[in-house]
Amino acid sequence: MCTVLIAVLISQTTLFVTGMNENVVLALNGTKNLKPNIVLVMTDSFDGRLTIDPGNKVVQLPYATYMREHGAVFLNAYTNSPICCPSRAAMWSGKFIHLTESWNNYKCLDENYTTWMDLLQRDGYYTKKLGKQDYISGGHSVSNRVEAWIRDSELLLRQEGRPVTNLTGNASTVRVMSKDWSTIDRATQWIRETAPGLTQPFSLYIGLNLPHPYQTEGLGENAGGSTFQTSPYWLKKVNGDLITVPKWLPLSKMHPVDYYSTYTKNCSGLFTEQEIKDIRGFYYAMCAEADAMLGKILLALQESGLESSTVLLFSSDHGELAMEHRQFYKMSMYEGSVHIPLLATGPGITPKVQQPQPVSLVDLYPTLLELAGIPLPGRVSGHSLLPLLSQAATPGGSLHPPWVLSEFHGCDVNASAYMLRTEQWKYIAYADGHSVAPQLFGKSYQSVVPQSECLLCILP
């Protein structure tokens, strides 16, 4: 019954959106003849709960805080698939991953797939992509595909390195993730030197690797990232007194999918309390470094005189469990894995808006097209977020459904997972909805630790 309900909801939300909300677009643009610039900063593995209360108290994120104070924050923003390539495929296409068959990190969108940025370019925008993109098929090792094929076998293989920490540099070492800082340097240079001279609006995409864990040396070139690495400079941004140690169920009492993932993620061994706190603290410090990169983009827009004409968005492909539920990485429907940041500032966006409406990455596609005044070309899964952002929006005027969908078919699990999330409830179904027990959770924002997902019942 519940599986049928999910299928019905999915089919009903994939629709044509006719026309755009002219009042909202005028509020954002100020005039029919002016289209806003668009800058999207997309991180990797950033837990969205850190950008809202009370999660934002554990680590200093001044630039996410700036966006929250001067714009809007979505309190319930979610990935459509808790893994890199499929989640980004959803963002670029505006469609749920089963519609584009973006099943895992190996199988995603075709290289010539038409994205929202392609449509902006056709409409006269100057477009530029910098940094990590990761939405095209074949970008990861073929093992990501093989791992998904063998999950129904009796084999139980450790597919990831044991999560560890690595302290590098000293108290003045700011640039730990050099690859990302290079991307930021190129982006800020372009904003300062090229963007002000353009005669057309621009759309700039900036993709970061942080705060994704680093690859662990010695595990081979195809290994995933299991090293949480930072410097003393960034650790000072973390409030160690607020780092919690999640409570774990005994292995024997875990949900069968959790047990499988705990084993394949190499987390079934013994961890000291200090090890767990270190992993979580290092992860928060990595988030602080990513936030500083966002700050460089904000500063460049301000100093170039472009802030008032630019809509800036900050988000992530998915979150990071950081040892919640005895796991690290993502690939789970628990909050740490699926809850992402989504903040927006710019012309017409009401300051200090805290929007509880559940939203997801597929909503960015219709939102950005509506910002640019471009009609949707066909069916999409997402809904424009502009009615939830603008001062001109009519209360209750959003067409967004009261739920979001996430699904996962990739590695490190032994059953496909589906999540329906409303403001009050989270329902997770596995595989066919019958052979593996589903789960139901209730809402709580009392803590960033997994106990906040109060388990109300496990359905038969």
Side-chain angles (χ1 to χ4, degrees):
M1 175 63 181
C2 291
T3 304
V4 173
L5 174 61
I6 290 177
V8 170
L9 289 172
I10 293 171
S11 65
Q12 288 181 346
T13 193
T14 307
L15 42 74
F16 284 101
V17 178
T18 58
M20 41 178 190
N21 187 328
E22 186 173 356
N23 288 334
V24 173
V25 174
L26 287 177
L28 290 166
N29 295 351
T31 170
K32 291 185 178 180
N33 299 319
L34 179 64
K35 296 184 177 184
N37 305 311
I38 298 168
V39 176
L40 171 59
V41 179
M42 178 66 68
T43 59
D44 191 324
S45 307
F46 203 114
D47 184 347
R49 297 172 300 172
L50 298 176
T51 64
I52 59 178
D53 186 67
N56 59 351
K57 293 180 174 60
V58 72
V59 57
Q60 297 173 30
L61 303 174
Y63 301 104
T65 300
Y66 175 90
M67 291 191 68
R68 190 170 63 247
E69 291 295 315
H70 291 79
V73 57
F74 286 90
L75 303 178
N76 293 301
Y78 289 88
T79 181
N80 297 108
S81 185
I83 194 169
C84 301
C85 198
S87 65
R88 294 166 185 267
M91 185 272 290
W92 285 108
S93 70
K95 295 182 179 181
F96 295 135
I97 66 169
H98 65 272
L99 297 176
T100 59
E101 299 184 351
S102 299
W103 303 120
N104 50 53
N105 265 356
Y106 187 79
K107 172 63 177 71
C108 279
L109 300 181
D110 294 334
E111 190 171 0
N112 60 351
Y113 192 95
T114 300
T115 68
W116 53 261
M117 187 169 271
D118 295 323
L119 296 176
L120 290 178
Q121 186 178 44
R122 291 178 189 177
D123 196 64
Y125 267 73
Y126 186 102
T127 61
K128 191 172 184 66
K129 297 176 185 174
L130 293 172
K132 184 171 185 176
Q133 298 178 34
D134 198 15
Y135 64 95
I136 303 299
S137 291
H140 290 255
S141 165
V142 72
S143 68
N144 283 273
R145 201 171 195 176
V146 175
E147 290 165 3
W149 291 343
I150 66 171
R151 67 187 184 194
D152 291 331
S153 71
E154 296 299 320
L155 294 173
L156 191 57
L157 303 175
R158 297 196 188 278
Q159 298 174 15
E160 311 293 346
R162 177 185 169 96
V164 295
T165 60
N166 182 51
L167 187 64
T168 186
N170 53 47
S172 61
T173 302
V174 175
R175 295 190 168 216
V176 179
M177 170 47 84
S178 57
K179 187 175 182 180
D180 281 352
W181 282 109
S182 177
T183 297
I184 292 299
D185 288 343
R186 286 184 289 144
T188 55
Q189 181 180 14
W190 185 87
I191 290 171
R192 287 188 169 96
E193 298 179 3
T194 303
L198 294 175
T199 58
Q200 69 219 82
F202 67 82
S203 175
L204 173 62
Y205 167 87
I206 304 166
L208 303 178
N209 294 278
L210 278 179
H212 190 291
Y214 294 74
Q215 282 193 330
T216 301
E217 293 184 12
L219 294 181
E221 62 180 2
N222 292 326
S226 57
T227 296
F228 293 83
Q229 178 171 288
T230 192
S231 71
Y233 179 90
W234 295 113
L235 277 178
K236 289 190 298 183
K237 310 295 182 182
V238 179
N239 188 335
D241 293 335
L242 295 182
I243 299 176
T244 57
V245 177
K247 293 181 180 179
W248 293 346
L249 290 173
L251 291 171
S252 60
K253 294 186 178 181
M254 279 186 169
H255 187 279
V257 174
D258 290 346
Y259 176 82
Y260 183 93
S261 295
T262 294
Y263 192 93
T264 59
K265 292 178 180 178
N266 216 337
C267 293
S268 58
L270 295 178
F271 288 83
T272 67
E273 182 173 303
Q274 190 59 50
E275 279 184 289
I276 298 169
K277 292 191 72 172
D278 285 347
I279 289 171
R280 293 171 68 76
F282 275 54
Y283 169 68
Y284 297 145
M286 293 161 69
C287 291
E289 186 177 1
D291 179 76
M293 297 177 186
L294 169 65
K296 294 295 184 182
I297 301 302
L298 275 164
L299 182 62
L301 290 171
Q302 291 169 354
E303 293 181 346
S304 302
L306 295 169
E307 185 179 27
S308 63
S309 59
T310 302
V311 173
L312 173 65
L313 299 108
F314 178 75
S315 192
S316 185
D317 54 355
H318 49 72
E320 163 63 54
L321 286 165
M323 303 311 289
E324 295 180 6
H325 301 277
R326 200 167 187 161
Q327 298 177 45
F328 78 110
Y329 245 12
K330 51 275 185 178
M331 304 144 176
S332 164
M333 294 302 173
Y334 292 127
E335 285 292 284
S337 172
V338 293
H339 198 146
I340 60 172
L342 184 54
L343 301 103
T345 61
I349 296 177
T350 305
K352 298 185 179 181
V353 167
Q354 297 191 38
Q355 178 57 251
Q357 166 72 53
V359 299
S360 64
L361 287 174
V362 292
D363 296 324
L364 292 184
Y365 184 106
T367 301
L368 297 177
L369 290 189
E370 187 171 7
L371 269 174
I374 303 172
L376 289 175
R379 291 182 179 272
V380 295
S381 304
H383 295 73
S384 175
L385 302 178
L386 293 196
L388 302 173
L389 294 172
S390 173
Q391 294 170 327
T394 303
S398 174
L399 296 176
H400 201 294
W403 54 269
V404 294
L405 170 74
S406 188
E407 53 187 302
F408 182 72
H409 311 282
C411 54
D412 286 324
V413 298
N414 57 349
S416 290
Y418 306 85
M419 178 195 79
L420 278 179
R421 182 72 159 91
T422 68
E423 188 180 347
Q424 298 292 334
W425 302 98
K426 175 190 286 192
Y427 176 73
I428 306 172
Y430 298 93
D432 57 6
H434 301 286
S435 56
V436 180
Q439 296 168 294
L440 181 65
F441 296 88
K443 170 186 172 182
S444 172
Y445 291 113
Q446 297 178 359
S447 175
V448 296
V449 298
Q451 298 95 293
S452 64
E453 283 190 308
C454 179
L455 180 60
L456 298 179
C457 57
I458 298 180
L459 305 179

